[in-house]
Structures are given as structure tokens and as C-alpha cells.
Short mmCIF file of all heavy atoms in Angstrom, two decimals:
data_model
loop_
_atom_site.label_atom_id
_atom_site.label_comp_id
_atom_site.label_asym_id
_atom_site.label_seq_id
_atom_site.Cartn_x
_atom_site.Cartn_y
_atom_site.Cartn_z
N ALA A 241 130.37 74.91 84.56
CA ALA A 241 130.54 73.84 85.55
C ALA A 241 129.46 73.90 86.62
O ALA A 241 128.84 72.89 86.97
CB ALA A 241 131.93 73.92 86.17
N LEU A 242 129.22 75.09 87.15
CA LEU A 242 128.23 75.23 88.21
C LEU A 242 126.81 75.02 87.69
O LEU A 242 125.98 74.41 88.36
CB LEU A 242 128.36 76.61 88.87
CG LEU A 242 129.69 76.86 89.59
CD1 LEU A 242 129.71 78.26 90.19
CD2 LEU A 242 129.96 75.81 90.66
N ASP A 243 126.52 75.53 86.50
CA ASP A 243 125.18 75.36 85.91
C ASP A 243 124.84 73.90 85.69
O ASP A 243 123.67 73.51 85.74
CB ASP A 243 125.08 76.13 84.59
CG ASP A 243 124.97 77.63 84.78
OD1 ASP A 243 124.71 78.07 85.92
OD2 ASP A 243 125.16 78.37 83.79
N LEU A 244 125.86 73.10 85.43
CA LEU A 244 125.63 71.68 85.13
C LEU A 244 125.79 70.78 86.35
O LEU A 244 125.78 69.55 86.22
CB LEU A 244 126.56 71.23 84.00
CG LEU A 244 126.29 71.88 82.64
CD1 LEU A 244 127.30 71.39 81.61
CD2 LEU A 244 124.87 71.59 82.17
N GLY A 245 125.95 71.39 87.51
CA GLY A 245 125.92 70.60 88.73
C GLY A 245 127.24 70.03 89.20
O GLY A 245 127.25 69.18 90.11
N TYR A 246 128.34 70.45 88.61
CA TYR A 246 129.64 69.96 89.07
C TYR A 246 130.05 70.71 90.33
O TYR A 246 129.80 71.91 90.47
CB TYR A 246 130.68 70.12 87.96
CG TYR A 246 130.51 69.09 86.87
CD1 TYR A 246 129.67 69.35 85.79
CD2 TYR A 246 131.15 67.87 86.92
CE1 TYR A 246 129.48 68.41 84.79
CE2 TYR A 246 130.97 66.92 85.92
CZ TYR A 246 130.14 67.19 84.87
OH TYR A 246 129.94 66.25 83.89
N GLU A 247 130.72 70.00 91.24
CA GLU A 247 131.10 70.60 92.51
C GLU A 247 132.19 71.66 92.35
O GLU A 247 132.30 72.57 93.17
CB GLU A 247 131.57 69.52 93.48
CG GLU A 247 130.46 68.55 93.89
CD GLU A 247 130.96 67.51 94.88
OE1 GLU A 247 132.17 67.53 95.18
OE2 GLU A 247 130.14 66.70 95.34
N SER A 248 132.99 71.53 91.30
CA SER A 248 134.08 72.48 91.08
C SER A 248 134.43 72.52 89.60
O SER A 248 134.17 71.55 88.87
CB SER A 248 135.31 72.08 91.89
OG SER A 248 135.85 70.86 91.38
N PRO A 249 135.03 73.61 89.14
CA PRO A 249 135.48 73.67 87.75
C PRO A 249 136.51 72.58 87.43
O PRO A 249 136.55 72.09 86.30
CB PRO A 249 136.10 75.07 87.64
CG PRO A 249 135.46 75.86 88.72
CD PRO A 249 135.22 74.88 89.83
N SER A 250 137.32 72.19 88.43
CA SER A 250 138.34 71.17 88.17
C SER A 250 137.71 69.82 87.89
O SER A 250 138.18 69.06 87.04
CB SER A 250 139.30 71.08 89.36
OG SER A 250 138.62 70.74 90.55
N ALA A 251 136.62 69.49 88.61
CA ALA A 251 135.93 68.22 88.36
C ALA A 251 135.31 68.22 86.96
O ALA A 251 135.37 67.22 86.24
CB ALA A 251 134.85 68.01 89.41
N PHE A 252 134.72 69.35 86.58
CA PHE A 252 134.14 69.48 85.24
C PHE A 252 135.24 69.38 84.18
O PHE A 252 135.10 68.67 83.18
CB PHE A 252 133.40 70.81 85.14
CG PHE A 252 133.03 71.20 83.73
CD1 PHE A 252 132.10 70.46 83.01
CD2 PHE A 252 133.62 72.30 83.13
CE1 PHE A 252 131.76 70.81 81.72
CE2 PHE A 252 133.28 72.67 81.84
CZ PHE A 252 132.35 71.93 81.13
N SER A 253 136.35 70.08 84.40
CA SER A 253 137.44 70.08 83.42
C SER A 253 138.04 68.69 83.25
O SER A 253 138.40 68.29 82.14
CB SER A 253 138.53 71.06 83.84
OG SER A 253 138.04 72.40 83.85
N ALA A 254 138.12 67.94 84.35
CA ALA A 254 138.66 66.58 84.27
C ALA A 254 137.78 65.70 83.40
O ALA A 254 138.27 64.94 82.56
CB ALA A 254 138.80 66.00 85.66
N MET A 255 136.44 65.78 83.61
CA MET A 255 135.50 65.01 82.79
C MET A 255 135.63 65.43 81.33
O MET A 255 135.69 64.59 80.42
CB MET A 255 134.07 65.24 83.28
CG MET A 255 132.99 64.53 82.47
SD MET A 255 132.51 65.33 80.88
CE MET A 255 131.89 66.92 81.46
N PHE A 256 135.70 66.72 81.09
CA PHE A 256 135.74 67.25 79.72
C PHE A 256 137.01 66.79 79.00
O PHE A 256 136.95 66.29 77.87
CB PHE A 256 135.69 68.78 79.79
CG PHE A 256 135.31 69.45 78.51
CD1 PHE A 256 134.01 69.86 78.29
CD2 PHE A 256 136.26 69.67 77.52
CE1 PHE A 256 133.66 70.49 77.10
CE2 PHE A 256 135.92 70.29 76.33
CZ PHE A 256 134.61 70.71 76.12
N ARG A 257 138.15 66.93 79.68
CA ARG A 257 139.41 66.54 79.07
C ARG A 257 139.47 65.02 78.84
O ARG A 257 139.97 64.56 77.82
CB ARG A 257 140.58 66.97 79.95
CG ARG A 257 141.95 66.68 79.34
CD ARG A 257 143.06 66.99 80.33
NE ARG A 257 143.24 68.41 80.52
CZ ARG A 257 144.02 69.18 79.75
NH1 ARG A 257 144.66 68.63 78.72
NH2 ARG A 257 144.15 70.46 79.99
N ARG A 258 138.92 64.25 79.79
CA ARG A 258 138.92 62.80 79.65
C ARG A 258 138.11 62.36 78.42
O ARG A 258 138.46 61.39 77.76
CB ARG A 258 138.34 62.17 80.91
CG ARG A 258 138.41 60.66 80.94
CD ARG A 258 138.03 60.12 82.32
NE ARG A 258 136.66 60.48 82.72
CZ ARG A 258 136.37 61.36 83.67
NH1 ARG A 258 137.32 61.99 84.33
NH2 ARG A 258 135.11 61.63 83.98
N THR A 259 137.06 63.10 78.11
CA THR A 259 136.17 62.72 77.02
C THR A 259 136.61 63.28 75.68
O THR A 259 136.61 62.58 74.67
CB THR A 259 134.73 63.19 77.31
OG1 THR A 259 134.33 62.73 78.60
CG2 THR A 259 133.77 62.66 76.27
N LEU A 260 137.00 64.56 75.67
CA LEU A 260 137.32 65.23 74.41
C LEU A 260 138.81 65.41 74.16
O LEU A 260 139.21 65.81 73.08
CB LEU A 260 136.62 66.59 74.34
CG LEU A 260 135.12 66.56 74.12
CD1 LEU A 260 134.54 67.96 74.15
CD2 LEU A 260 134.76 65.88 72.80
N GLY A 261 139.62 65.15 75.17
CA GLY A 261 141.06 65.24 74.97
C GLY A 261 141.64 66.64 75.07
O GLY A 261 142.85 66.82 74.91
N VAL A 262 140.81 67.63 75.33
CA VAL A 262 141.25 69.02 75.48
C VAL A 262 140.49 69.64 76.64
O VAL A 262 139.40 69.18 77.00
CB VAL A 262 141.00 69.86 74.20
CG1 VAL A 262 141.88 69.37 73.06
CG2 VAL A 262 139.53 69.82 73.80
N PRO A 263 141.01 70.69 77.27
CA PRO A 263 140.29 71.34 78.36
C PRO A 263 139.11 72.14 77.83
O PRO A 263 139.09 72.54 76.65
CB PRO A 263 141.34 72.27 78.98
CG PRO A 263 142.27 72.57 77.85
CD PRO A 263 142.34 71.32 77.04
N PRO A 264 138.09 72.41 78.66
CA PRO A 264 136.93 73.17 78.19
C PRO A 264 137.28 74.57 77.73
O PRO A 264 136.59 75.13 76.86
CB PRO A 264 136.00 73.19 79.41
CG PRO A 264 136.85 72.83 80.57
CD PRO A 264 137.93 71.94 80.05
N SER A 265 138.34 75.17 78.27
CA SER A 265 138.74 76.51 77.85
C SER A 265 139.06 76.57 76.36
O SER A 265 138.99 77.63 75.73
CB SER A 265 139.95 76.98 78.65
OG SER A 265 141.03 76.07 78.51
N PHE A 266 139.38 75.41 75.79
CA PHE A 266 139.68 75.31 74.35
C PHE A 266 138.50 75.75 73.50
O PHE A 266 138.66 76.21 72.37
CB PHE A 266 140.05 73.86 74.04
CG PHE A 266 140.53 73.61 72.63
CD1 PHE A 266 141.81 73.95 72.25
CD2 PHE A 266 139.69 73.01 71.70
CE1 PHE A 266 142.26 73.69 70.95
CE2 PHE A 266 140.13 72.76 70.41
CZ PHE A 266 141.42 73.10 70.04
N TYR A 267 137.28 75.60 74.04
CA TYR A 267 136.08 75.86 73.26
C TYR A 267 135.37 77.16 73.62
O TYR A 267 134.30 77.45 73.10
CB TYR A 267 135.09 74.71 73.43
CG TYR A 267 135.49 73.46 72.67
CD1 TYR A 267 135.88 72.31 73.35
CD2 TYR A 267 135.49 73.44 71.28
CE1 TYR A 267 136.25 71.17 72.66
CE2 TYR A 267 135.86 72.30 70.59
CZ TYR A 267 136.24 71.18 71.27
OH TYR A 267 136.62 70.04 70.58
N VAL A 268 135.92 77.96 74.53
CA VAL A 268 135.23 79.17 74.96
C VAL A 268 135.30 80.22 73.88
O VAL A 268 136.31 80.92 73.74
CB VAL A 268 135.81 79.73 76.27
CG1 VAL A 268 135.08 81.01 76.68
CG2 VAL A 268 135.69 78.71 77.39
N GLY A 269 134.25 80.32 73.08
CA GLY A 269 134.13 81.36 72.07
C GLY A 269 135.28 81.42 71.10
O GLY A 269 135.62 82.48 70.61
N THR A 270 135.92 80.26 70.82
CA THR A 270 137.09 80.26 69.97
C THR A 270 136.83 79.58 68.65
O THR A 270 135.79 78.96 68.43
CB THR A 270 138.27 79.54 70.66
OG1 THR A 270 137.91 78.18 70.90
CG2 THR A 270 138.61 80.20 71.98
N ASP A 271 137.81 79.69 67.76
CA ASP A 271 137.78 79.02 66.46
C ASP A 271 139.00 78.12 66.40
O ASP A 271 139.99 78.44 65.76
CB ASP A 271 137.81 80.08 65.35
CG ASP A 271 137.75 79.47 63.96
OD1 ASP A 271 137.57 78.24 63.86
OD2 ASP A 271 137.89 80.22 62.99
N PRO A 272 139.00 76.98 67.12
CA PRO A 272 140.20 76.16 67.22
C PRO A 272 140.62 75.57 65.89
O PRO A 272 139.80 75.26 65.05
CB PRO A 272 139.79 75.07 68.21
CG PRO A 272 138.32 75.00 68.12
CD PRO A 272 137.85 76.38 67.82
N ALA A 273 141.91 75.43 65.73
CA ALA A 273 142.45 74.79 64.52
C ALA A 273 142.13 73.32 64.54
O ALA A 273 142.11 72.68 65.58
CB ALA A 273 143.97 75.01 64.45
N HIS A 274 141.91 72.76 63.36
CA HIS A 274 141.54 71.35 63.28
C HIS A 274 142.62 70.45 63.87
O HIS A 274 142.35 69.42 64.48
CB HIS A 274 141.28 70.95 61.84
CG HIS A 274 140.94 69.50 61.69
ND1 HIS A 274 139.72 68.98 62.04
CD2 HIS A 274 141.68 68.45 61.26
CE1 HIS A 274 139.70 67.69 61.81
NE2 HIS A 274 140.88 67.34 61.33
N GLY A 275 143.86 70.87 63.72
CA GLY A 275 144.95 70.02 64.17
C GLY A 275 144.95 69.77 65.65
O GLY A 275 145.57 68.82 66.13
N ALA A 276 144.24 70.59 66.44
CA ALA A 276 144.22 70.41 67.88
C ALA A 276 143.10 69.49 68.34
O ALA A 276 142.99 69.18 69.50
CB ALA A 276 144.08 71.76 68.58
#
């Protein structure tokens, strides 16, 4: 969030969830199931 210029992690997370439908934590070094 900070590297990309967002004022806060919450602002970044809101944009991310609005676009992808899941929070950014969903993608942190994980192997998410397709169903999600």
C-alpha cells in the first residue's frame, strides 16, 4: 500500500476488494482455492 502511494492500508484494501472481490491479504504468498 505504501509503495504504491496509498495513504493507508485501508484505502488500498478498499480499492483492491472493490476491484477483485477479495481483500489483498488473500493473495499474500498463498495458493487460493479457485472457488474463492
